[in-house]
Short mmCIF file of all heavy atoms in Angstrom, two decimals:
data_model
loop_
_atom_site.label_atom_id
_atom_site.label_comp_id
_atom_site.label_asym_id
_atom_site.label_seq_id
_atom_site.Cartn_x
_atom_site.Cartn_y
_atom_site.Cartn_z
N MET Z 955 5.96 -25.71 42.50
CA MET Z 955 7.29 -26.39 42.54
C MET Z 955 8.02 -26.29 41.21
O MET Z 955 9.18 -26.20 41.11
CB MET Z 955 7.14 -27.84 43.07
CG MET Z 955 8.45 -28.56 43.19
SD MET Z 955 8.26 -30.11 43.97
CE MET Z 955 9.37 -29.91 45.31
N VAL Z 956 7.26 -26.48 40.13
CA VAL Z 956 7.87 -26.43 38.83
C VAL Z 956 8.42 -25.03 38.50
O VAL Z 956 9.51 -24.90 37.89
CB VAL Z 956 6.81 -26.94 37.70
CG1 VAL Z 956 7.38 -26.75 36.29
CG2 VAL Z 956 6.45 -28.34 38.02
N ALA Z 957 7.67 -24.00 38.93
CA ALA Z 957 8.13 -22.65 38.73
C ALA Z 957 9.42 -22.37 39.44
O ALA Z 957 10.31 -21.66 38.91
CB ALA Z 957 7.05 -21.72 39.19
N THR Z 958 9.52 -22.92 40.63
CA THR Z 958 10.82 -22.75 41.33
C THR Z 958 12.01 -23.38 40.70
O THR Z 958 13.06 -22.80 40.56
CB THR Z 958 10.70 -23.39 42.76
OG1 THR Z 958 9.55 -22.79 43.47
CG2 THR Z 958 11.90 -23.10 43.63
N ASN Z 959 11.77 -24.61 40.13
CA ASN Z 959 12.85 -25.24 39.46
C ASN Z 959 13.24 -24.47 38.16
O ASN Z 959 14.39 -24.33 37.79
CB ASN Z 959 12.45 -26.72 38.98
CG ASN Z 959 12.40 -27.58 40.23
OD1 ASN Z 959 13.00 -27.30 41.26
ND2 ASN Z 959 11.67 -28.63 40.13
N ALA Z 960 12.23 -23.94 37.45
CA ALA Z 960 12.55 -23.12 36.20
C ALA Z 960 13.30 -21.87 36.65
O ALA Z 960 14.27 -21.42 35.88
CB ALA Z 960 11.21 -22.84 35.50
N ILE Z 961 12.90 -21.17 37.65
CA ILE Z 961 13.60 -19.97 38.13
C ILE Z 961 15.04 -20.27 38.60
O ILE Z 961 15.97 -19.51 38.23
CB ILE Z 961 12.84 -19.26 39.18
CG1 ILE Z 961 11.52 -18.72 38.66
CG2 ILE Z 961 13.64 -18.18 39.79
CD1 ILE Z 961 10.57 -18.15 39.63
N THR Z 962 15.20 -21.39 39.26
CA THR Z 962 16.55 -21.78 39.59
C THR Z 962 17.42 -22.09 38.43
O THR Z 962 18.57 -21.68 38.36
CB THR Z 962 16.49 -23.06 40.47
OG1 THR Z 962 15.69 -22.75 41.64
CG2 THR Z 962 17.82 -23.50 41.00
N LEU Z 963 16.86 -22.78 37.42
CA LEU Z 963 17.66 -23.09 36.20
C LEU Z 963 18.01 -21.80 35.45
O LEU Z 963 19.08 -21.63 34.96
CB LEU Z 963 16.86 -24.02 35.36
CG LEU Z 963 16.81 -25.42 35.80
CD1 LEU Z 963 15.93 -26.25 34.86
CD2 LEU Z 963 18.20 -26.07 35.85
N LEU Z 964 17.05 -20.87 35.39
CA LEU Z 964 17.29 -19.56 34.77
C LEU Z 964 18.44 -18.84 35.49
O LEU Z 964 19.24 -18.14 34.88
CB LEU Z 964 16.00 -18.72 34.70
CG LEU Z 964 16.12 -17.43 33.99
CD1 LEU Z 964 16.44 -17.53 32.49
CD2 LEU Z 964 14.76 -16.63 34.24
N GLY Z 965 18.40 -18.82 36.82
CA GLY Z 965 19.39 -18.18 37.61
C GLY Z 965 20.79 -18.76 37.34
O GLY Z 965 21.76 -18.06 37.19
N VAL Z 966 20.87 -20.11 37.26
CA VAL Z 966 22.16 -20.73 37.00
C VAL Z 966 22.55 -20.41 35.63
O VAL Z 966 23.74 -20.17 35.39
CB VAL Z 966 21.98 -22.38 37.19
CG1 VAL Z 966 23.19 -23.06 36.75
CG2 VAL Z 966 21.76 -22.70 38.64
N ALA Z 967 21.67 -20.37 34.72
CA ALA Z 967 22.03 -20.00 33.30
C ALA Z 967 22.61 -18.58 33.27
O ALA Z 967 23.62 -18.33 32.60
CB ALA Z 967 20.85 -20.08 32.34
N PHE Z 968 22.04 -17.66 33.97
CA PHE Z 968 22.55 -16.26 34.01
C PHE Z 968 23.90 -16.21 34.66
O PHE Z 968 24.78 -15.43 34.29
CB PHE Z 968 21.51 -15.33 34.70
CG PHE Z 968 20.43 -14.91 33.89
CD1 PHE Z 968 19.09 -14.86 34.38
CD2 PHE Z 968 20.53 -14.59 32.53
CE1 PHE Z 968 18.05 -14.39 33.58
CE2 PHE Z 968 19.51 -14.16 31.72
CZ PHE Z 968 18.28 -14.13 32.21
N ILE Z 969 24.03 -16.96 35.76
CA ILE Z 969 25.39 -17.00 36.40
C ILE Z 969 26.46 -17.54 35.42
O ILE Z 969 27.55 -17.00 35.31
CB ILE Z 969 25.31 -17.90 37.62
CG1 ILE Z 969 24.52 -17.18 38.71
CG2 ILE Z 969 26.79 -18.20 38.15
CD1 ILE Z 969 24.18 -18.02 39.93
N LEU Z 970 26.17 -18.60 34.65
CA LEU Z 970 27.10 -19.11 33.69
C LEU Z 970 27.42 -18.16 32.63
O LEU Z 970 28.57 -18.01 32.15
CB LEU Z 970 26.63 -20.51 33.11
CG LEU Z 970 26.60 -21.62 34.15
CD1 LEU Z 970 25.87 -22.80 33.51
CD2 LEU Z 970 27.95 -21.94 34.69
N ILE Z 971 26.39 -17.44 32.11
CA ILE Z 971 26.59 -16.46 31.11
C ILE Z 971 27.45 -15.34 31.63
O ILE Z 971 28.30 -14.83 30.91
CB ILE Z 971 25.23 -15.95 30.52
CG1 ILE Z 971 24.50 -16.97 29.69
CG2 ILE Z 971 25.50 -14.66 29.72
CD1 ILE Z 971 23.08 -16.63 29.43
N GLY Z 972 27.21 -14.94 32.85
CA GLY Z 972 27.98 -13.84 33.47
C GLY Z 972 29.48 -14.26 33.61
O GLY Z 972 30.43 -13.48 33.30
N ILE Z 973 29.73 -15.54 33.98
CA ILE Z 973 31.10 -15.96 34.16
C ILE Z 973 31.81 -16.01 32.71
O ILE Z 973 32.97 -15.56 32.53
CB ILE Z 973 31.17 -17.44 34.74
CG1 ILE Z 973 30.78 -17.35 36.22
CG2 ILE Z 973 32.46 -18.05 34.60
CD1 ILE Z 973 30.52 -18.63 36.86
N ALA Z 974 31.01 -16.43 31.77
CA ALA Z 974 31.59 -16.41 30.37
C ALA Z 974 31.88 -15.02 29.89
O ALA Z 974 32.93 -14.80 29.29
CB ALA Z 974 30.55 -17.10 29.38
N LEU Z 975 31.06 -14.09 30.23
CA LEU Z 975 31.29 -12.63 29.76
C LEU Z 975 32.49 -12.05 30.54
O LEU Z 975 33.21 -11.22 30.02
CB LEU Z 975 30.10 -11.74 30.06
CG LEU Z 975 28.90 -12.05 28.99
CD1 LEU Z 975 27.63 -11.28 29.42
CD2 LEU Z 975 29.32 -11.81 27.64
N VAL Z 976 32.67 -12.47 31.84
CA VAL Z 976 33.86 -12.06 32.53
C VAL Z 976 35.19 -12.58 31.94
O VAL Z 976 36.14 -11.91 31.90
CB VAL Z 976 33.78 -12.33 34.01
CG1 VAL Z 976 35.02 -12.14 34.82
CG2 VAL Z 976 32.61 -11.58 34.58
N LEU Z 977 35.14 -13.81 31.49
CA LEU Z 977 36.23 -14.47 30.88
C LEU Z 977 36.58 -14.06 29.41
O LEU Z 977 37.70 -14.21 28.97
CB LEU Z 977 36.16 -15.96 31.02
CG LEU Z 977 36.14 -16.57 32.38
CD1 LEU Z 977 35.95 -18.03 32.32
CD2 LEU Z 977 37.49 -16.18 33.13
N ILE Z 978 35.60 -13.50 28.71
CA ILE Z 978 35.84 -13.11 27.27
C ILE Z 978 37.02 -12.13 27.10
O ILE Z 978 37.78 -12.31 26.18
CB ILE Z 978 34.50 -12.62 26.65
CG1 ILE Z 978 33.55 -13.84 26.41
CG2 ILE Z 978 34.83 -11.89 25.36
CD1 ILE Z 978 32.23 -13.44 25.94
N PRO Z 979 37.13 -11.13 27.95
CA PRO Z 979 38.38 -10.22 27.71
C PRO Z 979 39.64 -10.96 27.89
O PRO Z 979 40.64 -10.69 27.24
CB PRO Z 979 38.16 -9.11 28.75
CG PRO Z 979 36.70 -9.18 29.02
CD PRO Z 979 36.18 -10.55 28.89
N VAL Z 980 39.65 -11.89 28.85
CA VAL Z 980 40.91 -12.70 29.12
C VAL Z 980 41.13 -13.56 27.82
O VAL Z 980 42.31 -13.64 27.31
CB VAL Z 980 40.78 -13.54 30.34
CG1 VAL Z 980 41.96 -14.39 30.49
CG2 VAL Z 980 40.57 -12.57 31.54
N ILE Z 981 40.16 -14.22 27.33
CA ILE Z 981 40.32 -15.11 26.18
C ILE Z 981 40.63 -14.23 24.95
O ILE Z 981 41.38 -14.68 24.13
CB ILE Z 981 38.93 -15.85 25.93
CG1 ILE Z 981 38.79 -16.80 27.06
CG2 ILE Z 981 38.97 -16.57 24.59
CD1 ILE Z 981 37.43 -17.47 27.06
N GLY Z 982 40.07 -12.97 24.92
CA GLY Z 982 40.33 -12.06 23.85
C GLY Z 982 41.85 -11.65 23.70
O GLY Z 982 42.29 -11.23 22.70
N ASN Z 983 42.64 -11.80 24.79
CA ASN Z 983 43.99 -11.52 24.69
C ASN Z 983 44.76 -12.58 23.91
O ASN Z 983 45.90 -12.35 23.39
CB ASN Z 983 44.66 -11.40 26.07
CG ASN Z 983 44.19 -10.15 26.82
OD1 ASN Z 983 43.83 -9.14 26.13
ND2 ASN Z 983 44.08 -10.17 28.10
N TYR Z 984 44.23 -13.76 23.88
CA TYR Z 984 44.86 -14.95 23.21
C TYR Z 984 44.25 -15.28 21.83
O TYR Z 984 44.83 -15.91 21.03
CB TYR Z 984 44.86 -16.09 24.13
CG TYR Z 984 45.55 -15.88 25.47
CD1 TYR Z 984 44.77 -15.62 26.58
CD2 TYR Z 984 46.92 -15.69 25.51
CE1 TYR Z 984 45.41 -15.33 27.83
CE2 TYR Z 984 47.48 -15.40 26.73
CZ TYR Z 984 46.73 -15.24 27.87
OH TYR Z 984 47.40 -14.96 29.07
N ILE Z 985 42.98 -14.96 21.72
CA ILE Z 985 42.23 -15.32 20.48
C ILE Z 985 41.71 -14.06 19.87
O ILE Z 985 41.28 -13.16 20.63
CB ILE Z 985 41.11 -16.29 20.82
CG1 ILE Z 985 41.63 -17.60 21.42
CG2 ILE Z 985 40.26 -16.57 19.59
CD1 ILE Z 985 40.47 -18.49 21.90
N ASP Z 986 41.72 -13.92 18.55
CA ASP Z 986 41.25 -12.75 17.90
C ASP Z 986 39.69 -12.91 17.79
O ASP Z 986 39.12 -13.66 17.03
CB ASP Z 986 41.79 -12.68 16.45
CG ASP Z 986 41.42 -11.46 15.72
OD1 ASP Z 986 40.96 -10.49 16.36
OD2 ASP Z 986 41.44 -11.45 14.43
N LEU Z 987 39.02 -12.08 18.59
CA LEU Z 987 37.57 -12.05 18.66
C LEU Z 987 36.91 -11.15 17.72
O LEU Z 987 35.69 -11.00 17.58
CB LEU Z 987 37.11 -11.75 20.12
CG LEU Z 987 37.42 -12.78 21.12
CD1 LEU Z 987 37.02 -12.20 22.54
CD2 LEU Z 987 36.77 -14.03 20.92
N SER Z 988 37.73 -10.37 16.92
CA SER Z 988 37.22 -9.44 16.05
C SER Z 988 36.55 -10.10 14.80
O SER Z 988 35.75 -9.45 14.08
CB SER Z 988 38.30 -8.43 15.51
OG SER Z 988 39.28 -9.19 14.80
N LYS Z 989 36.78 -11.37 14.57
CA LYS Z 989 36.11 -12.02 13.52
C LYS Z 989 34.71 -12.54 13.89
O LYS Z 989 33.93 -12.97 13.02
CB LYS Z 989 36.91 -13.29 13.10
CG LYS Z 989 38.26 -12.90 12.45
CD LYS Z 989 38.98 -14.05 12.04
CE LYS Z 989 40.34 -13.82 11.49
NZ LYS Z 989 40.92 -12.60 11.19
N VAL Z 990 34.29 -12.46 15.18
CA VAL Z 990 32.96 -12.79 15.67
C VAL Z 990 32.09 -11.64 15.22
O VAL Z 990 32.42 -10.48 15.33
CB VAL Z 990 32.94 -13.04 17.09
CG1 VAL Z 990 31.59 -13.31 17.64
CG2 VAL Z 990 33.87 -14.14 17.54
N PRO Z 991 30.79 -11.96 14.74
CA PRO Z 991 29.95 -10.83 14.32
C PRO Z 991 29.71 -9.83 15.54
O PRO Z 991 29.57 -10.25 16.64
CB PRO Z 991 28.62 -11.58 13.99
CG PRO Z 991 29.03 -12.96 13.72
CD PRO Z 991 30.23 -13.26 14.54
N TRP Z 992 29.60 -8.50 15.20
CA TRP Z 992 29.58 -7.55 16.19
C TRP Z 992 28.29 -7.69 16.99
O TRP Z 992 28.27 -7.20 18.17
CB TRP Z 992 29.58 -6.11 15.51
CG TRP Z 992 28.44 -5.83 14.64
CD1 TRP Z 992 28.21 -6.06 13.41
CD2 TRP Z 992 27.15 -5.29 15.15
NE1 TRP Z 992 27.02 -5.72 12.98
CE2 TRP Z 992 26.36 -5.11 14.02
CE3 TRP Z 992 26.75 -4.84 16.38
CZ2 TRP Z 992 25.00 -4.63 14.15
CZ3 TRP Z 992 25.41 -4.23 16.48
CH2 TRP Z 992 24.61 -4.20 15.32
N TRP Z 993 27.17 -8.17 16.48
CA TRP Z 993 25.95 -8.25 17.19
C TRP Z 993 25.97 -9.43 18.24
O TRP Z 993 25.13 -9.51 19.12
CB TRP Z 993 24.71 -8.43 16.33
CG TRP Z 993 24.89 -9.48 15.33
CD1 TRP Z 993 25.47 -9.38 14.06
CD2 TRP Z 993 24.43 -10.83 15.41
NE1 TRP Z 993 25.42 -10.56 13.44
CE2 TRP Z 993 24.80 -11.52 14.22
CE3 TRP Z 993 23.86 -11.55 16.40
CZ2 TRP Z 993 24.57 -12.83 13.96
CZ3 TRP Z 993 23.58 -12.92 16.21
CH2 TRP Z 993 23.97 -13.53 14.99
N ILE Z 994 26.99 -10.26 18.20
CA ILE Z 994 27.14 -11.28 19.25
C ILE Z 994 28.19 -10.82 20.29
O ILE Z 994 27.89 -10.86 21.47
CB ILE Z 994 27.70 -12.73 18.60
CG1 ILE Z 994 26.66 -13.18 17.70
CG2 ILE Z 994 28.04 -13.63 19.64
CD1 ILE Z 994 27.06 -14.50 16.94
N ILE Z 995 29.36 -10.44 19.88
CA ILE Z 995 30.40 -9.95 20.80
C ILE Z 995 30.99 -8.67 20.13
O ILE Z 995 31.46 -8.75 19.01
CB ILE Z 995 31.46 -10.90 20.99
CG1 ILE Z 995 30.93 -12.12 21.77
CG2 ILE Z 995 32.59 -10.29 21.85
CD1 ILE Z 995 31.97 -13.20 22.01
N TYR Z 996 31.02 -7.57 20.91
CA TYR Z 996 31.58 -6.23 20.38
C TYR Z 996 32.89 -6.07 21.13
O TYR Z 996 32.89 -6.16 22.41
CB TYR Z 996 30.64 -5.08 20.64
CG TYR Z 996 31.29 -3.77 20.26
CD1 TYR Z 996 31.42 -3.46 18.82
CD2 TYR Z 996 31.81 -2.96 21.22
CE1 TYR Z 996 32.00 -2.21 18.54
CE2 TYR Z 996 32.35 -1.77 20.82
CZ TYR Z 996 32.39 -1.46 19.54
OH TYR Z 996 32.97 -0.26 19.15
N VAL Z 997 33.98 -5.94 20.38
CA VAL Z 997 35.29 -5.87 21.05
C VAL Z 997 35.84 -4.45 20.69
O VAL Z 997 35.98 -4.05 19.48
CB VAL Z 997 36.26 -6.90 20.41
CG1 VAL Z 997 37.63 -6.77 21.11
CG2 VAL Z 997 35.71 -8.32 20.74
N TYR Z 998 36.32 -3.71 21.70
CA TYR Z 998 36.93 -2.38 21.56
C TYR Z 998 38.35 -2.47 22.11
O TYR Z 998 38.54 -2.89 23.33
CB TYR Z 998 36.10 -1.33 22.22
CG TYR Z 998 36.85 0.04 22.25
CD1 TYR Z 998 36.82 0.77 21.08
CD2 TYR Z 998 37.46 0.51 23.32
CE1 TYR Z 998 37.50 1.99 21.08
CE2 TYR Z 998 38.21 1.68 23.31
CZ TYR Z 998 38.15 2.42 22.23
OH TYR Z 998 38.75 3.67 22.14
N ARG Z 999 39.38 -2.19 21.35
CA ARG Z 999 40.77 -2.28 21.88
C ARG Z 999 41.38 -0.83 21.65
O ARG Z 999 41.26 -0.28 20.62
CB ARG Z 999 41.56 -3.28 21.15
CG ARG Z 999 41.13 -4.70 21.37
CD ARG Z 999 41.86 -5.65 20.40
NE ARG Z 999 41.19 -6.91 20.44
CZ ARG Z 999 41.79 -8.02 20.83
NH1 ARG Z 999 43.10 -8.05 21.15
NH2 ARG Z 999 41.18 -9.13 20.77
N SER Z 1000 42.08 -0.39 22.73
CA SER Z 1000 42.77 0.82 22.60
C SER Z 1000 43.88 0.90 23.65
O SER Z 1000 43.60 0.79 24.86
CB SER Z 1000 41.80 2.10 22.84
OG SER Z 1000 42.46 3.25 22.85
N ASP Z 1001 45.10 1.03 23.13
CA ASP Z 1001 46.25 1.20 24.06
C ASP Z 1001 46.34 0.13 25.22
O ASP Z 1001 46.48 0.51 26.38
CB ASP Z 1001 46.40 2.60 24.66
CG ASP Z 1001 46.51 3.66 23.57
OD1 ASP Z 1001 47.13 3.28 22.55
OD2 ASP Z 1001 46.04 4.76 23.74
N GLY Z 1002 46.12 -1.09 24.86
CA GLY Z 1002 46.27 -2.19 25.80
C GLY Z 1002 44.95 -2.36 26.65
O GLY Z 1002 44.81 -3.31 27.40
N PHE Z 1003 43.93 -1.53 26.51
CA PHE Z 1003 42.57 -1.70 27.05
C PHE Z 1003 41.72 -2.45 26.15
O PHE Z 1003 41.55 -2.21 24.96
CB PHE Z 1003 42.05 -0.28 27.34
CG PHE Z 1003 40.64 -0.32 27.87
CD1 PHE Z 1003 40.38 -0.72 29.18
CD2 PHE Z 1003 39.61 0.06 27.11
CE1 PHE Z 1003 39.12 -0.69 29.69
CE2 PHE Z 1003 38.31 -0.03 27.53
CZ PHE Z 1003 38.07 -0.36 28.87
N VAL Z 1004 41.08 -3.47 26.68
CA VAL Z 1004 40.13 -4.31 25.94
C VAL Z 1004 38.82 -4.25 26.61
O VAL Z 1004 38.64 -4.56 27.79
CB VAL Z 1004 40.58 -5.77 25.86
CG1 VAL Z 1004 39.65 -6.58 25.07
CG2 VAL Z 1004 42.02 -5.88 25.19
N PHE Z 1005 37.77 -3.83 25.79
CA PHE Z 1005 36.41 -3.77 26.32
C PHE Z 1005 35.62 -4.67 25.49
O PHE Z 1005 35.55 -4.55 24.29
CB PHE Z 1005 35.82 -2.35 26.33
CG PHE Z 1005 34.45 -2.32 26.71
CD1 PHE Z 1005 34.08 -2.38 28.10
CD2 PHE Z 1005 33.42 -2.11 25.78
CE1 PHE Z 1005 32.75 -2.26 28.42
CE2 PHE Z 1005 32.07 -2.04 26.22
CZ PHE Z 1005 31.73 -2.18 27.51
N VAL Z 1006 34.94 -5.70 26.02
CA VAL Z 1006 34.14 -6.70 25.32
C VAL Z 1006 32.80 -6.62 25.91
O VAL Z 1006 32.59 -6.78 27.16
CB VAL Z 1006 34.74 -8.04 25.46
CG1 VAL Z 1006 33.96 -9.07 24.70
CG2 VAL Z 1006 36.15 -8.08 24.86
N THR Z 1007 31.76 -6.56 25.09
CA THR Z 1007 30.34 -6.68 25.53
C THR Z 1007 29.54 -7.41 24.45
O THR Z 1007 30.03 -7.75 23.40
CB THR Z 1007 29.72 -5.28 25.73
OG1 THR Z 1007 28.50 -5.38 26.43
CG2 THR Z 1007 29.60 -4.51 24.52
N SER Z 1008 28.33 -7.82 24.84
CA SER Z 1008 27.44 -8.46 23.97
C SER Z 1008 26.16 -7.60 23.83
O SER Z 1008 25.33 -7.42 24.70
CB SER Z 1008 27.00 -9.82 24.55
OG SER Z 1008 26.08 -10.44 23.82
N PRO Z 1009 25.97 -7.05 22.63
CA PRO Z 1009 24.74 -6.21 22.40
C PRO Z 1009 23.47 -7.04 22.56
O PRO Z 1009 22.51 -6.46 23.08
CB PRO Z 1009 24.90 -5.74 20.94
CG PRO Z 1009 26.37 -5.84 20.72
CD PRO Z 1009 26.87 -6.99 21.48
N ILE Z 1010 23.49 -8.31 22.28
CA ILE Z 1010 22.24 -9.15 22.43
C ILE Z 1010 21.89 -9.21 23.89
O ILE Z 1010 20.75 -8.94 24.28
CB ILE Z 1010 22.49 -10.56 21.88
CG1 ILE Z 1010 22.56 -10.47 20.35
CG2 ILE Z 1010 21.29 -11.47 22.29
CD1 ILE Z 1010 22.93 -11.80 19.76
N LEU Z 1011 22.88 -9.47 24.81
CA LEU Z 1011 22.56 -9.50 26.22
C LEU Z 1011 22.21 -8.15 26.77
O LEU Z 1011 21.40 -8.01 27.62
CB LEU Z 1011 23.80 -10.13 26.98
CG LEU Z 1011 24.05 -11.54 26.73
CD1 LEU Z 1011 25.25 -11.96 27.50
CD2 LEU Z 1011 22.85 -12.40 27.19
N LEU Z 1012 22.80 -7.13 26.25
CA LEU Z 1012 22.44 -5.77 26.73
C LEU Z 1012 20.90 -5.48 26.28
O LEU Z 1012 20.17 -4.90 27.19
CB LEU Z 1012 23.22 -4.66 26.06
CG LEU Z 1012 24.72 -4.55 26.52
CD1 LEU Z 1012 25.52 -3.63 25.70
CD2 LEU Z 1012 24.74 -4.34 28.08
N ILE Z 1013 20.53 -5.84 25.19
CA ILE Z 1013 19.11 -5.62 24.75
C ILE Z 1013 18.17 -6.55 25.54
O ILE Z 1013 17.12 -6.10 26.05
CB ILE Z 1013 18.89 -5.97 23.25
CG1 ILE Z 1013 19.67 -4.91 22.47
CG2 ILE Z 1013 17.49 -6.05 22.87
CD1 ILE Z 1013 19.83 -5.18 20.96
N ILE Z 1014 18.55 -7.81 25.82
CA ILE Z 1014 17.74 -8.70 26.61
C ILE Z 1014 17.61 -8.15 28.01
O ILE Z 1014 16.48 -8.15 28.56
CB ILE Z 1014 18.36 -10.02 26.68
CG1 ILE Z 1014 18.16 -10.75 25.21
CG2 ILE Z 1014 17.68 -10.96 27.72
CD1 ILE Z 1014 18.89 -12.04 25.13
N SER Z 1015 18.68 -7.64 28.56
CA SER Z 1015 18.67 -6.94 29.88
C SER Z 1015 17.70 -5.82 29.96
O SER Z 1015 16.91 -5.69 30.89
CB SER Z 1015 20.08 -6.59 30.34
OG SER Z 1015 20.90 -7.74 30.46
N ALA Z 1016 17.84 -4.91 28.97
CA ALA Z 1016 16.92 -3.76 29.03
C ALA Z 1016 15.55 -4.14 28.86
O ALA Z 1016 14.65 -3.55 29.58
CB ALA Z 1016 17.42 -2.84 27.80
N VAL Z 1017 15.23 -5.09 27.98
CA VAL Z 1017 13.79 -5.49 27.87
C VAL Z 1017 13.30 -6.05 29.11
O VAL Z 1017 12.17 -5.84 29.56
CB VAL Z 1017 13.64 -6.53 26.64
CG1 VAL Z 1017 12.29 -7.22 26.63
CG2 VAL Z 1017 13.91 -5.72 25.35
N SER Z 1018 14.12 -6.95 29.78
CA SER Z 1018 13.64 -7.52 31.01
C SER Z 1018 13.43 -6.55 32.11
O SER Z 1018 12.51 -6.70 32.91
CB SER Z 1018 14.60 -8.67 31.46
OG SER Z 1018 15.87 -8.10 31.87
N ILE Z 1019 14.27 -5.54 32.19
CA ILE Z 1019 14.06 -4.50 33.20
C ILE Z 1019 12.81 -3.63 32.90
O ILE Z 1019 11.99 -3.39 33.75
CB ILE Z 1019 15.30 -3.49 33.19
CG1 ILE Z 1019 16.48 -4.31 33.86
CG2 ILE Z 1019 14.97 -2.26 33.99
CD1 ILE Z 1019 17.74 -3.54 33.75
N ILE Z 1020 12.54 -3.35 31.62
CA ILE Z 1020 11.33 -2.64 31.25
C ILE Z 1020 10.09 -3.49 31.61
O ILE Z 1020 9.13 -2.97 32.11
CB ILE Z 1020 11.38 -2.26 29.76
CG1 ILE Z 1020 12.44 -1.21 29.50
CG2 ILE Z 1020 9.97 -1.76 29.24
CD1 ILE Z 1020 12.80 -0.93 28.06
N ILE Z 1021 10.07 -4.74 31.24
CA ILE Z 1021 8.97 -5.63 31.53
C ILE Z 1021 8.76 -5.65 33.07
O ILE Z 1021 7.68 -5.66 33.54
CB ILE Z 1021 9.18 -7.04 30.94
CG1 ILE Z 1021 9.10 -7.03 29.54
CG2 ILE Z 1021 8.23 -8.02 31.59
CD1 ILE Z 1021 9.46 -8.27 28.79
N ALA Z 1022 9.87 -5.83 33.90
CA ALA Z 1022 9.75 -5.89 35.27
C ALA Z 1022 9.11 -4.61 35.84
O ALA Z 1022 8.29 -4.62 36.80
CB ALA Z 1022 11.10 -6.10 35.92
N ILE Z 1023 9.46 -3.44 35.30
CA ILE Z 1023 8.99 -2.17 35.77
C ILE Z 1023 7.50 -2.01 35.36
O ILE Z 1023 6.68 -1.61 36.22
CB ILE Z 1023 9.83 -1.01 35.18
CG1 ILE Z 1023 11.19 -0.98 35.86
CG2 ILE Z 1023 9.12 0.35 35.46
CD1 ILE Z 1023 12.12 0.01 35.30
N LEU Z 1024 7.19 -2.39 34.26
CA LEU Z 1024 5.77 -2.23 33.71
C LEU Z 1024 4.74 -3.27 34.40
O LEU Z 1024 3.58 -2.92 34.45
CB LEU Z 1024 5.66 -2.49 32.23
CG LEU Z 1024 6.40 -1.38 31.38
CD1 LEU Z 1024 6.28 -1.60 29.91
CD2 LEU Z 1024 5.79 0.02 31.74
N THR Z 1025 5.27 -4.35 34.83
CA THR Z 1025 4.34 -5.30 35.41
C THR Z 1025 4.19 -5.14 36.95
O THR Z 1025 3.38 -5.94 37.56
CB THR Z 1025 4.84 -6.79 35.23
OG1 THR Z 1025 6.19 -6.93 35.70
CG2 THR Z 1025 4.84 -7.09 33.72
N ARG Z 1026 4.78 -4.19 37.47
CA ARG Z 1026 4.54 -3.88 38.90
C ARG Z 1026 3.26 -3.13 39.21
O ARG Z 1026 2.70 -2.46 38.56
CB ARG Z 1026 5.77 -3.08 39.49
CG ARG Z 1026 6.95 -3.89 39.64
CD ARG Z 1026 8.05 -3.08 40.27
NE ARG Z 1026 9.13 -3.96 40.37
CZ ARG Z 1026 10.11 -3.79 41.25
NH1 ARG Z 1026 10.07 -2.84 42.19
NH2 ARG Z 1026 11.14 -4.61 41.34
#
């Protein structure tokens, strides 16, 4: 039962992080995100196109996928 609660909380945390990442480009139109360190948020702007990602989350995702594949 404890493991189920932990997994549920982890899922909710990932959902909230996902919502935050979806909203970052919108927020980036109003706030200058280029002052945030690149390893937290990477912002690319070109001709009205804004691409925002988080290298830390990309690395965490890649590691978790590798662990999931290796533990099968």
Side-chain angles (χ1 to χ4, degrees):
M955 182 171 234
V956 174
T958 304
N959 291 337
I961 292 172
T962 302
L963 288 175
L964 183 64
V966 170
F968 281 140
I969 289 170
L970 293 175
I971 290 171
I973 291 170
L975 288 176
V976 168
L977 292 177
I978 286 175
V980 175
I981 294 169
N983 288 331
Y984 303 104
I985 299 173
D986 185 20
L987 294 175
S988 62
K989 294 185 182 355
V990 178
W992 68 269
W993 50 273
I994 296 175
I995 296 177
Y996 177 75
V997 180
Y998 174 78
R999 295 174 193 238
S1000 175
D1001 297 328
F1003 173 75
V1004 179
F1005 177 75
V1006 181
T1007 189
S1008 174
I1010 291 175
L1011 289 178
L1012 292 174
I1013 292 169
I1014 291 171
S1015 297
V1017 169
S1018 67
I1019 290 171
I1020 291 169
I1021 290 171
I1023 291 172
L1024 294 177
T1025 57
R1026 287 187 179 202

